[in-house]
Amino acid sequence: MKKTILILTMVLLLVPAGLFAGVFDLSLGVTAQNKMGYDATSGEFDEDMFTDVDNYAFGADIRTRLLFAEVGIAALYEQVEHPTTTEMTPSFSGLVTGGLSLDLLGLVRVGLGLGPRVTALFPEGEDPIFYTDSVGELSADNLMDALTKSDLTWRATVDLKLGSILLGVNYMVDSDGFTIENSDFTKLIPTADLFKQGRVGASVLFTIF
């Protein structure tokens, strides 16, 4: 009986300490995202899909956190086909999310965020082209305009805390057409087909403070 009481007391002390540890922090790092669609609800695993380095896009991962609130920026670089000429063209895709982040027992950090995601192509001698996977090319004048017209995307993260290093995986899936410009809340939840197009990634971040 005494052992049970002792264990329960330790759990009650550890959980709040884990949840409230780190009032504010800023983490910077790198990320690799698989470009192939992966349905996280299926539970199936294709080894070839994840072991081929050509299936990945690489970039930066930035996260800042205040208590439970977290803002994240993920930016990826890759070469993609031009929508009209099919020539390989440099592109950057960016996802800006706001959401929640929790530290569990000081060992694991889990987070869920939502925000706009857009890709910008930079053809030689042409103006940038903005597009999203679901809509295609956007009639946008600049990046901020494109972000308001793009579907919001969910991003879930699970990180192992190794001192000041965060080592983890993430999963990204588009909403069903919810945008900043057209906020139809019935379209916030991804459909089964959208889950099949979800993307898996991995990140390594260093917590600066």
Side-chain angles (χ1 to χ4, degrees):
M1 183 65 179
K2 291 183 178 180
K3 289 183 178 180
T4 302
I5 295 175
L6 179 60
I7 292 172
L8 289 174
T9 303
M10 291 178 64
V11 170
L12 290 173
L13 290 173
L14 285 172
V15 170
L19 289 175
F20 290 98
V23 174
F24 173 82
D25 61 50
L26 171 66
S27 301
L28 309 175
V30 294
T31 186
Q33 186 180 82
N34 196 289
K35 296 180 286 186
M36 311 296 288
Y38 177 73
D39 186 356
T41 64
S42 69
E44 298 178 359
F45 182 82
D46 183 352
E47 183 177 345
D48 293 335
M49 169 183 165
F50 292 104
T51 55
D52 187 349
V53 68
D54 292 333
N55 288 342
Y56 288 87
F58 300 90
D61 198 345
I62 303 172
R63 303 179 206 170
T64 183
R65 182 170 173 267
L66 177 62
L67 290 177
F68 302 126
E70 182 177 78
V71 175
I73 300 174
L76 297 167
Y77 170 82
E78 62 178 312
Q79 294 273 338
V80 299
E81 287 189 356
H82 190 286
T84 56
T85 66
T86 68
E87 292 182 1
M88 299 307 292
T89 306
S91 74
F92 287 92
S93 63
L95 170 63
V96 181
T97 58
L100 299 176
S101 173
L102 295 175
D103 283 354
L104 304 178
L105 301 177
L107 301 175
V108 177
R109 176 171 295 180
V110 295
L112 180 65
L114 177 70
R117 180 173 69 93
V118 68
T119 299
L121 273 67
F122 296 92
E124 186 175 354
E126 299 181 29
D127 292 332
I129 299 172
F130 300 101
Y131 79 95
T132 65
D133 292 341
S134 57
V135 178
E137 186 174 346
L138 297 170
S139 56
D141 297 326
N142 51 56
L143 178 59
M144 293 305 297
D145 189 23
L147 287 172
T148 63
K149 295 178 178 179
S150 64
D151 291 354
L152 267 60
T153 297
W154 294 95
R155 190 186 194 218
T157 58
V158 179
D159 301 291
L160 183 64
K161 298 184 66 177
L162 304 173
S164 60
I165 298 175
L166 296 175
L167 177 63
V169 296
N170 55 76
Y171 183 73
M172 182 184 73
V173 61
D174 291 333
S175 66
D176 189 26
F178 185 96
T179 69
I180 295 175
E181 193 175 68
N182 181 23
S183 52
D184 182 353
F185 287 93
T186 64
K187 296 183 177 295
L188 263 178
I189 306 302
T191 63
D193 287 338
L194 287 170
F195 271 112
K196 294 178 182 178
Q197 302 169 30
R199 308 284 178 85
V200 175
S203 297
V204 179
L205 299 101
F206 299 88
T207 300
I208 307 302
F209 53 81

